[in-house]
């Protein structure tokens, strides 16, 4: 059988993983798709760099256009990353009728709709399972497994770096900065960790999951984002005492076709399936109207898990190629986008306040919550041996984001409050 | 657009769930498949029985052949259960070019290869996502999500009844018989619970998962099965003391294309993702050579979760229908079947022995393990206040099943052992 020829953009750790799987599992893969799979050309930054794997020198180029323009190549696997330039390569490859497999969450979150529109125009496949939660086939699950259901809620631990940091802080009582430094030394965090720790990476993945789950075009700017750099070990200790774990959760919710989507450090009830997901692992919890609670767990990053998803997409593209149906199963969001207003977004809140240690303070503070109709689940006032202030810990019942914003603005003006130390969303 | 016409065999709780989803989500579903979906005919046992849903009386028949022979119908959804008669209906429907969606694990485990061969001959789809683990899209995951990987191990909690019983026994220290009775009252267990509690239901599901994961034709007779009816509350207490939970686990393992597959009560290390799956929930843990650890969690039964998987399959069939590619993506196991011999199946073992309370007994017993080269992880001897015998608790290191069989036969003959009280597989 004539081999299917693949062009690879990028030969970093993930690209190397793709070559390893395609070569190592060649017999299995060709049994499934009905012909051999050949990695025909590979674009790299530096052709001289020593590699962990043997690749034919003639296959290597430092010009991605050599790969894009090669008429022999049917499928482009993009694992070089980047946004503007990479988008240009992918659009041109589609223009030439080549199918795309990509792990590029940044590109898909920012330009997914443009790329998918071009793919539809040219009847090409664009698959991107590896862009969210590495080895977990969550994109397939949302598109196919739950095609029949209305997705009510998606909660994701979709960033391994921050989950590693929060898990370590929780398990060892360590500080954010110490664990971040350790994560950087272990290669779990970048030297500039901003995109991970400030929640941007997670937000991009949640925009992709929201688009698929709610079948509407969720954009990155629809995601409200805050990161973990302000989470202290004291916050985590408070969470534990109340029966919660602290996780950076992406939360997407939909009700009557209106949705909200956010990423923030969240206190999640111990015992919830996602609360025990630790270390660099990822998990996506999906609540469907009919199916109820489900969760999908696995490695969110790493060369081989990510390459597993990429090569599974490659198998799907090649099967479609054999059947002549590429581009015909493209999922195009068909629902009009309706974002919830802050009045319609409800959740519980945790607050830690440092206040004057004198009579009447608690009454003044709880009065503010009452004024905006936010009811309280629990209130604890305690002395802090290392601080002349008293501490007040408040957990609210479900309250609208709009009401809580008003409460927070009002609290900021109360003279008896020295500091609003922490404010977190609470789930479960 | 001309509607796609569906025939439904069975209108019990799951069938009712299918009607509810197809009608309730009609707008969403028809947006995805490009035409309305109409449940044209429904075969029931008793046409007079009052129903929870409104169905057109003219659509109802008590003769499944009316549905099979209706030339208007493109897809048959089979949720009536049963084996011999149902197989006949399905084969005839395939003969007539109709596609099949079924939730029937018994049928697929026993006659799957015959049905799939007929489907291939007639270029028809046969989808059966709902047959294993209800709402969890594990069949799709094995076929598509992990098409690129070599599956090394599948561990499944795939029977909700037994998981409910073992979870309750663990949480409440209750006895097997008390919890079984309660489960029967709650409708979680059948009045004749044999198929669930003796592991047969789980074995059927594991045969299906093994076939897909290892791409070879696993038959029910390849699964070594034991159930939970002998598990005592003392066993569970011992498990907990040693840091394990007791679960009825299906375990399928493959190494160099040789596999083993079994269902048995297993002590699984607390902290393993599957150890905390409780109640009627199901979970399938999949370890792939490249992807590493993954787990898929959700409702394993129930009308709506099961119907979610069925209607997702229906959507997939109809998409294929529109593209004219039904039956062309059928997965046919392509690997020769090679079962591992007992010499090549390795696991840890837990044993609880009641023995003579005198000197030299422990030496005699450990000597037996040494004779067959089974090394021990831990040995504890203790008095039992409610018993004149002493108790010996042994946990082995990994040992071959063949060696352990020899050990067990030898132990049975030792006069100092009054009773081999328990013997379990240990994982994690």
């Amino acid at each position: 059988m004539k081999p299917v020829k693949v062009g690879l953009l990028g030969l970093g750790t993930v690209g190397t993983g793709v070559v390893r799987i395609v070569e190592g599992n060649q017999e299995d893969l060709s049994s499934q798709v009905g012909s051999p799979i050949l990695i025909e050309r590979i674009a790299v930054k530096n052709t001289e760099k020593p590699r962990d794997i043997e690749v034919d020198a003639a296959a290597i180029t430092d010009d991605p256009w050599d790969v894009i323009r090669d008429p022999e190549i049917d499928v482009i696997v993009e694992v070089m990353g980047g946004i503007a330039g990479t988008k240009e390569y992918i659009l041109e490859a589609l223009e030439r009728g080549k199918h795309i497999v990509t792990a590029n969450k940044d590109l898909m979150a920012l330009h997914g709709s443009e790329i998918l529109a071009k793919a539809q125009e040219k009847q090409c496949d664009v698959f991107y399972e590896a862009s969210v939660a590495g080895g977990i086939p969550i994109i397939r699950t949302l598109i196919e497994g739950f095609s029949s259901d209305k997705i009510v809620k998606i909660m994701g631990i979709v960033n391994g770096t921050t989950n590693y940091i929060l898990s370590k802080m929780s398990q060892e009582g360590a500080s954010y900065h110490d664990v971040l430094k350790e994560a950087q030394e272990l290669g779990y965090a970048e030297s500039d960790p901003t995109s991970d720790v400030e929640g941007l990476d997670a937000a991009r993945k949640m925009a992709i999951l929201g688009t698929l789950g709610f079948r509407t075009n969720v954009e990155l700017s629809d995601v409200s984002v805050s990161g973990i750099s302000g989470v202290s070990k004291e916050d985590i200790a408070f969470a534990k005492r109340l029966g919660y774990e602290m996780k950076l959760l992406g939360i997407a919710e939909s009700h009557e076709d209106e949705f909200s989507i956010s990423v923030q450090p969240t206190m999640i009830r111990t015992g919830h399936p996602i609360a025990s997901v630790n270390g660099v692992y990822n998990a996506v919890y999906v609540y469907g109207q009919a199916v109820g609670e489900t969760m999908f767990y696995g490695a969110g990053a790493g060369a081989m898990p990510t390459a597993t998803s990429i090569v599974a997409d490659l198998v799907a593209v090649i099967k479609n190629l054999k059947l002549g149906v590429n581009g015909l199963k493209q999922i195009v969001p068909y629902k009009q986008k309706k974002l919830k207003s802050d009045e319609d977004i409800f959740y519980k809140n945790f607050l830690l306040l440092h206040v004057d240690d004198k009579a009447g303070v608690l009454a003044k503070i709880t009065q503010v919550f009452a004024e905006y109709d936010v009811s309280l689940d629990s209130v604890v006032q305690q002395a802090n041996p290392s601080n002349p202030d008293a501490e007040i810990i408040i957990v609210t019942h479900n309250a609208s984001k709009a009401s809580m914003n008003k409460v927070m603005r009002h609290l900021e003006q109360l003279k008896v409050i020295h500091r609003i130390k922490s404010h977190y969303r609470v789930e479960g």
Side-chain angles (χ1 to χ4, degrees), chain A:
Chain A
M1 266 300 228
K2 198 169 146 270
V4 173
K5 293 185 178 172
V6 176
L8 187 58
L9 303 182
L11 191 59
T13 55
V14 174
T16 303
V18 169
V19 175
R20 276 192 216 277
I21 292 181
V22 169
E23 291 181 352
N25 295 355
Q26 183 64 232
E27 198 187 320
D28 251 18
L29 297 173
S30 52
S31 298
Q32 287 180 65
V33 301
S35 58
I37 301 175
L38 185 67
I39 297 182
E40 172 87 356
R41 298 225 76 183
I42 306 175
V44 298
K45 257 194 209 141
N46 175 0
T47 56
E48 304 302 316
K49 190 175 153 187
R51 308 275 166 191
D52 286 348
I53 44 168
E54 268 188 56
V55 280
D56 180 3
I60 299 278
T61 168
D62 60 5
D63 184 0
W65 291 114
D66 286 349
V67 183
I68 307 295
R69 291 184 184 132
D70 186 333
E72 293 283 298
I73 286 174
D74 299 307
V75 191
I76 299 286
V77 172
E78 185 273 304
V79 287
M80 62 197 287
I83 301 177
T86 312
K87 179 184 158 197
E88 214 184 314
Y89 298 135
I90 286 184
L91 288 176
E92 178 62 23
L94 288 168
E95 189 60 44
R96 291 167 182 258
K98 298 187 198 306
H99 311 288
I100 307 292
V101 175
T102 175
N104 196 324
K105 66 195 169 284
D106 305 332
L107 187 65
M108 291 310 293
L110 292 169
H111 304 294
S113 60
E114 186 182 347
I115 288 169
L116 293 172
K118 170 62 84 178
Q120 207 183 21
E121 180 199 326
K122 307 304 285 187
Q123 288 209 2
C124 286
D125 285 333
V126 174
F127 290 162
Y128 48 100
E129 183 65 77
S131 68
V132 181
I136 309 171
I138 186 64
I139 290 183
R140 275 187 172 70
T141 295
L142 289 175
I143 294 178
E144 295 173 23
F146 296 151
S147 61
S148 51
D149 205 359
K150 281 190 199 297
I151 303 301
V152 175
K153 190 167 191 170
I154 303 173
M155 292 204 290
I157 293 177
V158 289
N159 179 274
T161 304
T162 48
N163 202 48
Y164 175 84
I165 293 173
L166 293 175
S167 302
K168 272 274 180 178
M169 288 174 71
S170 171
Q171 285 155 4
E172 299 176 3
S175 80
Y176 170 74
H177 288 285
D178 288 348
V179 181
L180 173 60
K181 204 172 146 233
E182 187 192 319
Q184 285 170 322
E185 284 161 10
L186 288 166
Y188 292 161
E190 308 274 342
S191 55
D192 175 2
T194 313
S195 161
D196 290 322
V197 300
E198 295 309 340
L200 189 62
D201 174 84
R204 288 173 170 169
K205 291 163 177 170
M206 289 306 297
I208 294 173
L209 295 183
T211 296
L212 297 171
F214 303 147
R215 300 164 191 142
T216 190
N217 194 16
V218 178
E219 289 165 281
L220 188 54
S221 56
D222 299 329
V223 187
S224 127
V225 189
S226 64
I228 67 162
S229 58
V231 176
S232 69
K233 58 183 178 184
E234 290 74 22
D235 292 337
I236 290 182
F238 273 118
K240 284 187 168 232
R241 231 175 62 191
L242 295 166
Y244 297 98
E245 290 289 338
M246 185 79 79
K247 296 287 174 192
L248 182 69
L249 286 191
I251 303 181
E253 291 178 287
S254 175
H255 181 65
E256 290 179 354
D257 285 345
E258 287 194 350
F259 73 92
S260 64
I261 183 161
S262 61
V263 169
Q264 64 281 303
T266 304
M267 291 186 182
I268 175 99
R269 170 93 46 206
T270 313
H272 188 287
I274 211 166
S276 56
V277 174
N278 288 319
V280 293
Y281 279 91
N282 277 197
V284 181
Y285 169 94
V286 180
Y287 192 95
Q289 194 174 63
V291 79
E293 284 198 301
T294 62
M295 195 177 81
F296 307 90
Y297 167 92
M304 297 312 282
T306 307
T308 301
S309 286
I310 291 170
V311 181
D313 276 352
L314 185 58
V315 166
V317 169
I318 298 174
K319 282 183 179 173
N320 284 346
L321 205 58
K322 297 292 169 113
L323 298 175
V325 296
N326 297 99
L328 297 178
K329 280 192 174 181
Q330 212 64 258
I331 299 303
V332 182
Y334 54 86
K335 286 191 186 165
Q336 211 200 328
K337 186 164 86 175
K338 284 183 261 175
L339 265 173
K340 280 189 188 183
S341 71
D342 285 355
E343 280 75 23
D344 294 323
I345 301 174
F346 288 85
Y347 49 84
K348 295 178 215 162
N349 298 263
F350 165 95
L351 275 109
L352 171 58
L353 310 174
H354 287 182
V355 303
D356 270 348
D357 195 0
K358 62 184 184 192
V361 169
L362 192 56
K364 242 186 203 140
I365 289 170
T366 54
Q367 175 55 32
V368 174
F369 287 83
E371 189 172 325
Y372 301 102
D373 235 11
V374 173
S375 67
L376 304 182
D377 176 64
S378 67
V379 182
V380 175
Q381 176 162 359
Q382 62 184 23
N384 181 337
S386 64
N387 194 323
D389 293 342
E391 290 177 340
I392 293 181
I393 298 126
I394 294 173
V395 179
T396 73
H397 285 299
N398 268 335
S400 80
K401 191 174 172 185
S403 301
M404 272 308 294
N405 285 344
K406 287 180 199 154
V407 167
M408 296 305 288
R409 276 198 299 271
H410 197 140
L411 292 180
E412 279 160 15
Q413 268 139 43
L414 280 193
K415 291 226 172 64
V416 295
I417 297 180
H418 299 173
R419 197 170 165 208
I420 299 176
K421 183 68 176 45
S422 313
H423 175 199
Y424 295 109
R425 180 166 178 160
V426 177
E427 282 288 322

